[in-house]
């Protein structure tokens, strides 16, 4: 299924907020498909880092993980909800009133 910006569900799950943005002009970072310096939405690429859909307890309790990108668990809400095992498995709590961008 194609989404906003012509992205498929597979592209969203695998690449949303994974690679650094190459745009050389001011734009809305929150609406950009790619990641930016200091972006909390940054995700690890599932093709390079095999992590589960379970939240890392160390990251959850302390905000950091000693294993870093080598950790086998999810580190952020973006990694959690955009993991193939979780993506599009629950309806948004705001339902039709949701104002979040839909990729």
């Amino acid at each position: 299924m194609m989404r906003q910006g012509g992205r498929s569900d597979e592209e969203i799950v695998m690449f949303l907020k994974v690679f650094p943005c190459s745009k050389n002009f001011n734009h809305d970072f929150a609406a950009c498909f790619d990641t930016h310096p200091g972006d909390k939405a940054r995700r690890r690429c599932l093709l390079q880092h095999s992590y589960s859909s379970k939240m890392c307890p160390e990251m959850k309790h302390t905000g950091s993980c000693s294993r870093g990108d080598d950790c086998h668990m999810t580190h952020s809400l973006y990694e959690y909800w955009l993991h193939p095992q979780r993506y599009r498995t629950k309806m948004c709590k705001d339902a039709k009133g949701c104002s979040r961008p839909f990729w």
Side-chain angles (χ1 to χ4, degrees):
M1 180 181 283
M2 298 304 278
R3 302 279 176 238
Q4 176 183 333
R7 307 285 184 171
S8 69
D9 284 339
E10 292 78 19
E11 287 177 293
I12 293 167
V13 167
M14 297 306 291
F15 304 117
L16 177 64
K17 298 293 185 183
V18 169
F19 298 112
C21 181
S22 60
K23 294 176 182 165
N24 293 326
F25 56 88
N26 260 349
H27 61 286
D28 183 359
F29 293 171
C32 185
F33 193 80
D34 297 314
T35 190
H36 298 86
D39 198 342
K40 291 181 180 180
R42 177 194 169 269
R43 297 171 52 225
R44 295 170 286 171
C45 181
L46 282 163
L47 299 175
Q48 298 171 341
H49 304 278
S50 179
Y51 56 87
S52 73
S53 62
K54 183 176 179 178
M55 187 62 111
C56 170
E58 187 177 349
M59 181 63 87
K60 187 175 180 179
H61 294 295
T62 67
S64 64
C65 175
S66 58
R67 293 176 296 279
D69 284 349
D70 293 328
C71 183
H72 64 280
M73 293 184 207
T74 300
H75 276 176
S76 69
L77 287 177
Y78 273 84
E79 286 187 350
Y80 181 85
W81 286 113
L82 291 169
H83 193 279
Q85 293 175 335
R86 295 205 189 272
Y87 182 67
R88 295 175 53 89
T89 59
K90 292 191 178 183
M91 185 68 95
C92 176
K93 66 178 175 65
D94 296 329
K96 291 183 180 184
C98 182
S99 61
R100 292 176 191 88
F102 189 69
W103 294 94

